[in-house]
Amino acid sequence: MTDTSDDPHSRGGPPTYVQVGAVTPTPAERARTLVAGMVDGTLSTLALDPEGYPFGSIVTYALADDGAPLVLMSTLAEHTRNLAADPRASLLVAQGGAGAGRLAAARVTLVGTFTEVDAAAQEAATTRYLDVHPGAFWARFPDFVVHRLDIEAIRFVRGFGEMGWVEPHAFAAAEPDPVAPGELGIVSHMNDDHAASLVTMVDAFLPVDGEVVAATMTSCDRYGFEVQLTLAPTQPGGDAGLAFGRIGFEQVLGSAADARHAMVALLRAAEAAG
Amino acid sequence: MTDTSDDPHSRGGPPTYVQVGAVTPTPAERARTLVAGMVDGTLSTLALDPEGYPFGSIVTYALADDGAPLVLMSTLAEHTRNLAADPRASLLVAQGGAGAGRLAAARVTLVGTFTEVDAAAQEAATTRYLDVHPGAFWARFPDFVVHRLDIEAIRFVRGFGEMGWVEPHAFAAAEPDPVAPGELGIVSHMNDDHAASLVTMVDAFLPVDGEVVAATMTSCDRYGFEVQLTLAPTQPGGDAGLAFGRIGFEQVLGSAADARHAMVALLRAAEAAG
């Protein structure tokens, strides 16, 4: 360790990102997928007491067809009384994990106004809520009413330093990624059992500047998957390099179950190219 | 199952709560302990855009000696710009778990105003933050500043339907429970390995109306522990009963390591009484 620099990327600037297959999920798709995959979040309302202060509380939700959160609220709850006085609110939905690592995890803030779902649609909304929260035996108690968040602005943070605004109409139109429910299983299976195949695909498809000594899958979606690459040192005794890449599937997947076939097809193409 | 009632407590009204040993943690102590045991939460601020809407974002924190959260913020972040225009905010800290079960988990909303820690105290505050978040290599970058939340109101929800306000001065004065870091270990050890001893203690100390067939420890703190009790049916073929109880330690514990001695002392006293 004779390198005098503290910068882990001193090997040659920031890590490279390389990609094959053009399609990447849009921020609207990523945000919609995240919200569709969770059932709880933090509601921010404007407090009656202390008046005007933003007030955070925990809520659980289901989603309407257009991705609008449906929240079952007691008329007795602080946040419900706050919303009756001022319907402006936001719902923050954050991907799993807790503690210091949360700044690296994806989250979405849906900003808008809450209104009670009207009487004619209340039963259908309650049923939708109960489909997601079957244990909520209080859902049809008279002091519980489903409220809907009409979204006016969306902040999406994919991780540390990667963030932006998403158009509400794009969020409403986006389809949650059908691979997401099986993503963790795909990623762990590929890393645990097919690490060499990942390197074979990277070698065949990604224009990496250096020798790839290891490839770790970091995510998988309907369009493809992402990898973190360890590169051989460029000189004897030097530091290993780091790069990131994305490899697209030949066809858009309809479900997590399609991943197996798609991976085999990519691997065969890689071997044929190699 | 010939009982025609849907009420699991039909055996005789709501479950009993019985207690021996007077001291129970105050809501201020429970809230302070919860906040001291976590390092991340949801910040609610008043948005600049869309203007005036409450806006939720994820932050990580350390605590000042008086329990005030210290949050490291980038001057570029949405919430930092929001606070520069209006310092009113809240920080929601919620106990672990995610998903539908979150409504049953404890959480605290600390409401107040954020201010930048002044230049003279900034270095100490940054060090305090880094003690809790040693991976935050960006903490001393020039665009990162520690802000302090001066607490004006506190909402504490212990679980479903159990909630109230906590006085900020009581929160500031409360000592985090020294048993909390070891609580899960104590609870699982007692339930896994000493279930019969729990029943012995309950039989000796708690005035339960019925025969206790099982006792499960649900929490442990410096003052004592809480149990959920299964009671024998009061008539052949009837439903089992449910009760809750609290047993106080003979002395207030100074750490989780003191729990072993305290449990043994209680068990011996129970056996002597039996």
Side-chain angles (χ1 to χ4, degrees):
Chain A
M1 299 297 280
T2 54
D3 190 340
T4 57
S5 166
D6 287 338
D7 179 355
H9 308 139
S10 60
R11 185 173 174 279
T16 325
Y17 182 89
V18 288
Q19 181 168 339
V20 63
V23 181
T24 297
T26 64
E29 287 176 329
R30 291 196 195 277
R32 181 73 186 266
T33 300
L34 169 54
V35 172
M38 301 285 295
V39 299
D40 64 291
T42 303
L43 177 65
S44 297
T45 56
L46 295 166
L48 285 169
D49 181 25
E51 191 179 346
Y53 283 64
F55 184 86
S57 57
I58 297 285
V59 295
T60 57
Y61 65 85
L63 292 182
D65 289 339
D66 62 356
L70 301 171
V71 178
L72 179 71
M73 295 185 195
S74 164
T75 53
L76 302 172
E78 284 296 308
H79 51 230
T80 314
R81 297 194 290 132
N82 292 344
L83 290 171
D86 191 323
R88 293 178 292 176
S90 70
L91 177 66
L92 179 138
V93 177
Q95 207 148 47
R102 286 198 78 181
L103 294 182
R107 60 266 193 192
V108 179
T109 305
L110 305 172
V111 185
T113 54
F114 268 100
T115 50
E116 279 191 24
V117 171
D118 63 33
Q122 186 65 224
E123 175 57 29
T126 303
T127 299
R128 176 72 64 109
Y129 181 85
L130 280 166
D131 285 345
V132 179
H133 304 280
F137 60 84
W138 54 87
R140 291 200 171 87
F141 287 4
D143 58 321
F144 280 84
V145 178
V146 174
H147 292 62
R148 173 189 156 96
L149 176 60
D150 287 301
I151 300 168
E152 297 167 34
I154 300 169
R155 183 78 174 168
F156 175 56
V157 181
R158 194 181 170 202
F160 200 73
E162 186 178 350
M163 59 199 65
W165 295 93
V166 168
E167 285 299 321
H169 64 83
F171 179 86
E175 187 193 12
D177 195 304
V179 173
E183 182 187 2
L184 287 180
I186 294 167
V187 169
S188 60
H189 173 64
M190 291 302 293
N191 288 329
D192 292 348
D193 301 337
H194 300 287
S197 297
L198 288 172
V199 173
T200 300
M201 289 187 271
V202 168
D203 282 342
F205 298 130
L206 293 183
V208 179
D209 182 20
E211 182 199 345
V212 176
V213 293
T216 302
M217 188 182 287
T218 55
S219 69
C220 183
D221 54 66
R222 77 190 96 177
Y223 304 118
F225 61 91
E226 307 205 342
V227 284
Q228 177 177 318
L229 308 175
T230 305
L231 306 181
T234 52
Q235 52 188 23
D239 289 341
L242 181 65
F244 297 91
R246 178 178 184 84
I247 295 177
F249 294 128
E250 294 171 357
Q251 293 183 302
V252 178
L253 309 191
S255 75
D258 294 343
R260 180 186 181 80
H261 180 80
M263 292 289 179
V264 169
L266 278 178
L267 181 60
R268 289 196 180 141
E271 288 166 344
Chain B
M1 301 299 279
T2 56
D3 190 340
T4 55
S5 166
D6 287 336
D7 179 355
H9 308 141
S10 61
R11 184 172 176 280
T16 325
Y17 183 90
V18 290
Q19 182 169 337
V20 63
V23 181
T24 296
T26 64
E29 287 176 329
R30 291 196 194 278
R32 181 73 187 264
T33 300
L34 169 53
V35 173
M38 301 286 293
V39 299
D40 64 290
T42 303
L43 177 65
S44 295
T45 57
L46 296 166
L48 284 169
D49 181 23
E51 191 181 345
Y53 282 65
F55 183 86
S57 56
I58 297 285
V59 294
T60 56
Y61 64 85
L63 292 181
D65 289 339
D66 62 356
L70 301 171
V71 179
L72 178 72
M73 295 185 196
S74 164
T75 53
L76 303 172
E78 283 296 308
H79 51 231
T80 313
R81 297 194 290 133
N82 293 344
L83 290 171
D86 191 322
R88 292 179 294 176
S90 70
L91 177 67
L92 179 138
V93 178
Q95 207 149 48
R102 286 199 78 181
L103 294 182
R107 59 265 194 193
V108 180
T109 306
L110 304 173
V111 186
T113 53
F114 267 100
T115 50
E116 279 192 24
V117 171
D118 62 33
Q122 186 64 225
E123 176 57 29
T126 304
T127 299
R128 176 71 66 108
Y129 181 86
L130 281 165
D131 284 347
V132 179
H133 303 281
F137 61 84
W138 54 87
R140 291 200 171 86
F141 287 3
D143 57 322
F144 280 84
V145 177
V146 174
H147 292 62
R148 174 190 157 96
L149 176 61
D150 286 301
I151 300 168
E152 297 167 34
I154 300 169
R155 184 77 172 169
F156 175 55
V157 182
R158 194 182 171 201
F160 199 73
E162 186 179 351
M163 58 200 64
W165 296 93
V166 168
E167 286 298 323
H169 63 82
F171 179 86
E175 187 193 12
D177 195 306
V179 173
E183 181 186 5
L184 287 181
I186 295 167
V187 168
S188 60
H189 174 64
M190 291 302 293
N191 288 330
D192 292 348
D193 300 336
H194 301 286
S197 298
L198 288 173
V199 174
T200 300
M201 289 187 270
V202 169
D203 282 343
F205 298 131
L206 293 183
V208 178
D209 183 21
E211 182 199 346
V212 175
V213 293
T216 302
M217 187 182 287
T218 55
S219 69
C220 183
D221 54 65
R222 76 190 97 177
Y223 304 119
F225 61 91
E226 307 205 341
V227 284
Q228 176 176 321
L229 307 175
T230 305
L231 307 180
T234 51
Q235 54 189 20
D239 288 341
L242 180 65
F244 297 91
R246 179 179 183 82
I247 295 178
F249 294 129
E250 295 170 356
Q251 293 182 306
V252 178
L253 309 191
S255 75
D258 294 343
R260 180 185 180 82
H261 180 80
M263 293 289 180
V264 169
L266 278 178
L267 181 60
R268 288 194 181 144
E271 288 166 344

